[in-house]
Every structure is written in C-alpha cells, then in structure tokens.
Amino acid sequence: MDEEDCPELVPIEKTGDGPSSQIPVTIITGYLGAGKTTLLNYILTEQHSKRIAVILNEFGEGSALEKSLAVSQAGELYEEWLELRNGCLCCSVKDNGLKAIENLMEKKGKFDYILLETTGLADPGAVASMFWVDAELGSDVYLDGIVTVIDAKYAMQQLTEEKPDGLVNEATRQVALADLLIINKTDLVNEQELQQVRDTVGSINGLVRVLETQKSRVDLSQVLDLHSFDIKDVTRLSEKLQLVRSTHPHLDKSILTVTLEVPGDVSEDRLNLFVQDLLWEKNLNNKEGSAMHVIRLKGILSVEGKGKRVMLQGVHELYELEETPEAWDPDEPRVNRLVFIGRYLDRDILREHFTTTVLSQEDSKT
C-alpha cells in the first residue's frame, strides 16, 4: 500500500448513550512529522458514517491538506472551510480553539465529533483549559480527551532534548498530558528501540493508554469517545487508579507519575486547600527544594457527607471536583486514590501533606 493511501476503517456501531446534545472535542497534539496530518487525512477521507469536523492550526510543507485549502494570503492565515464527500469538514483557523468551534457550529450545524489539532510546540493543557472556563460553550461541547502522536524513530531524541533551566521539554509535556498516546512509525525502529520508547513514556505518564501504529492507521473507535474528563466512565477510572503505580524518572530528571492511596474520608474544604496549595500557590517543595509542578491530576475520593464517589480532575492550574453517580457500598473500605503527573514530585511529601491537610480529624489520627 502506498504511503498516501488511506487504510480501511472499522465501522463504529451507533450507540444510544452519551450526552446527545453535546459534541465531544478531541485535542490532537504532537511534534511536526509525528503523523498527525496523516491521521487527520485518514479520518477526513474515509467512509465511517460519522460527521467529523477537523480544525487545523498548522500546515506542514506540501501536506495534502494544504493543497486542498488555499489559506495563505499576504502572510496571514484566513479561515477556510472544505466539505468532504463523506460528510466530514475541514477548516483552518488563525486563532486556536473556541472561536473556531463557535463559528463551525453557527455555520455548519451539529457534528458527531470535533477534532482540534494543535501546533507542534503547543501546550495541549492550555487548549484543554479553555473548555473548562468558557461558559458560553459549556452546553454545546465537552472535552473528550487529549491524543498525542509521537514518532517512534525520533521520540527519544525529542523527549531527551535539553531545555534551558525552568522550561519543560514540550514533547515530554505532551506525553504527560495525554489520555491516549499513539506511537507511530513503529516499522522504522527495532524491538529494542521501541521498548525504550514504551518504557520512557510509561515512566512519564503512568495513566496513559498506548496504541502502536504504522502510517497512523488506527481504529477510529479507539481515538473517539475517550470520556477522559467526564464522569461517564467512573468505574473504569476507579479500576485504572488501583493499577497505576508511581514511576521513577526514566531519562528526564523531573517529570514522572506519583500515586497515592489513602484510606478515610476527606473534608471537601480542606481538599480544596490542598489542591490550591499544590496547583495555584505551588507551595509544596520536594526534598531538593524544587517546587512541585503538577501537569495532570486525577483522583477518586471519599468526601465527608457524600455517599457517592467524587472525581477530581486537574490540568495545570485548573481543577474540578464532581460527584459521580457511583455510590460507595456500605461495607466497602473508603479509599482515596490520586494520580499526579508532573515535575519534581515527591510521593512521601505529597502523602504527608495530604494526610495532615485533607483527612478528617478522626481519620488522620488512625
């Protein structure tokens, strides 16, 4: 099969569940050359009985999408819409994100899915944050998840690139924020090299689900409906949090995954204080004196006075606490499970601060 040819897609079964009035938005990120454009081309041109809108924010040299869209005029990027035979739509925007989605829905009506591509060096967390703070869009769209595409051949080079002091390596941050990681071009490396990439991304992000592909061929059903930011799949998240283990930095000295499992009920007010200290004030330091910096945070908590599990989500400085539909069983031990992904994290200090700050007085004495 020629590299430009699109592979066959597995059809997705229509399901009746999910928020029918809301459109899921998936953020696609990754370095130039990793295979994002190939993935998007594939989604845009295949017959899959879905109306998918792809919002592009960059055009690689000579890409097939660039040939279809005359967007450059006097050095400025102009909005352009391209409707495709399979009902999908592609557009380019000169500003990232929400305005493009508002225009898209005004002009073209409802879609089944929206995929939002970020530029190669963009911080997907900043884009993701927009969906939590924009009230106008709150009822129309929801953030489904962050998909990061990396190139198996050049991943190690990109992930180990030294940055000036204080700056996060962009490739590492994109891996840290991902809900789904696509390791692309696996045919260009040997098994030992591929295993090194697997180990490295696993040490950065212990929660991420990994797909390995060649030429960005994926089953679309594995990329869509991730539900990474809502309470729909709380059971799956609860099970996953039990399996995640703290990691050791594999290469970079700083970014890793830390897990906490603490029994007892937590005070909601004190939980907010703990999270704000960590995310906003950055008051917690590791043993070396470096301020802990959380990039992604997930947790299932037992909150005082609530019979149902409470889900905690955080991206950079933004976080959200939401009660889930899933109740604690009367004889079930109440355990708080949290996963932190970030720089300079220290598990012992996090645990001690969580225990002393957040647990109800009775539990903290036990």
Side-chain angles (χ1 to χ4, degrees):
M1 179 182 280
D2 187 75
E3 183 149 353
E4 293 302 314
D5 288 342
C6 287
E8 291 297 312
L9 262 184
V10 179
I12 299 174
E13 295 295 319
K14 271 279 186 196
T15 56
D17 56 3
S20 55
S21 60
Q22 291 186 306
I23 304 172
V25 178
T26 304
I27 295 169
I28 310 278
T29 190
Y31 267 35
L32 274 170
K36 282 184 303 175
T37 303
T38 311
L39 175 66
L40 293 167
N41 261 323
Y42 170 30
I43 291 167
L44 281 167
T45 53
E46 282 300 295
Q47 297 300 320
H48 44 58
S49 70
K50 294 280 184 190
R51 287 194 80 217
I52 299 175
V54 172
I55 299 176
L56 301 170
N57 275 280
E58 69 187 0
F59 294 89
E61 276 297 307
S63 76
L65 293 174
E66 188 179 21
K67 292 167 194 164
S68 314
L69 289 162
V71 294
S72 187
Q73 186 177 323
E76 286 188 56
L77 202 57
Y78 283 86
E79 202 173 79
E80 186 91 7
W81 306 90
L82 177 71
E83 295 209 50
L84 299 150
R85 283 193 301 273
N86 63 356
C88 290
L89 177 141
C90 176
C91 75
S92 68
V93 291
K94 55 183 173 183
D95 61 341
N96 209 340
L98 296 184
K99 194 66 194 165
I101 293 174
E102 287 169 355
N103 291 342
L104 173 69
M105 288 163 59
E106 277 171 29
K107 292 180 184 180
K108 302 296 178 184
K110 292 279 185 177
F111 281 82
D112 297 322
Y113 299 93
I114 296 172
L115 304 185
L116 179 61
E117 181 201 33
T118 68
T119 54
L121 295 177
D123 173 7
V127 184
S129 303
M130 295 187 300
F131 294 92
W132 282 0
V133 295
D134 191 281
E136 285 177 54
L137 276 178
S139 59
D140 293 324
V141 300
Y142 67 92
L143 181 58
D144 190 49
I146 298 171
V147 177
T148 298
V149 185
I150 63 170
D151 180 333
K153 189 172 175 63
Y154 296 107
M156 294 307 300
Q157 179 185 322
Q158 290 162 352
L159 292 166
T160 53
E161 186 184 346
E162 287 285 343
K163 297 289 174 183
D165 281 350
L167 292 181
V168 181
N169 175 307
E170 293 93 349
T172 308
R173 179 166 54 191
Q174 289 175 353
V175 170
L177 281 161
D179 301 297
L180 172 67
L181 185 76
I182 297 175
I183 302 177
N184 192 31
K185 306 185 184 180
T186 55
D187 51 322
L188 302 183
V189 293
N190 61 37
E191 180 58 31
Q192 186 179 350
E193 291 167 324
L194 182 56
Q195 189 58 49
Q196 188 182 17
V197 175
R198 290 182 191 123
D199 292 343
T200 301
V201 297
S203 75
I204 295 167
N205 185 338
L207 268 177
V208 74
R209 185 160 63 89
V210 177
L211 288 181
E212 296 177 8
T213 62
Q214 299 173 14
K215 299 176 184 172
S216 296
R217 299 175 198 172
V218 293
D219 175 348
L220 198 54
S221 64
Q222 295 186 295
V223 177
L224 303 174
D225 295 314
L226 298 173
H227 294 287
S228 300
F229 288 86
D230 60 55
I231 58 175
K232 180 180 168 68
D233 286 340
V234 65
T235 307
R236 193 175 64 183
L237 178 60
S238 297
E239 291 167 355
K240 196 170 185 180
L241 291 182
Q242 291 183 50
L243 300 174
V244 177
R245 293 289 171 260
S246 296
T247 64
H248 299 286
H250 197 72
L251 40 89
D252 185 311
K253 22 285 160 119
S254 50
I255 292 190
L256 72 162
T257 300
V258 164
T259 63
L260 291 187
E261 194 168 289
V262 183
D265 285 345
V266 302
S267 153
E268 188 166 355
D269 289 343
R270 291 198 290 269
L271 177 62
N272 279 304
L273 279 176
F274 169 80
V275 175
Q276 289 164 19
D277 261 359
L278 188 60
L279 301 190
W280 298 358
E281 308 298 335
K282 296 183 172 57
N283 280 338
L284 284 181
N285 294 343
N286 65 11
K287 292 184 183 79
E288 287 74 41
S290 300
M292 297 190 212
H293 179 85
V294 174
I295 295 172
R296 191 77 187 265
L297 167 63
K298 283 193 173 193
I300 299 286
L301 298 134
S302 170
V303 174
E304 279 178 332
K306 295 188 186 292
K308 294 177 178 174
R309 287 170 167 79
V310 172
M311 187 166 76
L312 170 65
Q313 288 267 16
V315 173
H316 294 324
E317 283 84 15
L318 284 174
Y319 76 96
E320 186 173 64
L321 278 171
E322 191 171 4
E323 193 170 357
T324 74
E326 191 171 297
W328 295 95
D329 290 335
D331 54 351
E332 180 182 10
R334 298 234 181 169
V335 178
N336 303 283
R337 292 187 173 90
L338 296 103
V339 176
F340 307 82
I341 299 168
R343 306 176 80 194
Y344 311 125
L345 302 182
D346 185 303
R347 184 175 181 273
D348 294 338
I349 293 172
L350 277 170
R351 184 186 175 88
E352 183 187 350
H353 193 65
F354 181 85
T355 304
T356 55
T357 308
V358 174
L359 284 186
S360 69
Q361 298 308 309
E362 282 180 35
D363 288 313
S364 57
K365 288 173 190 166
T366 58

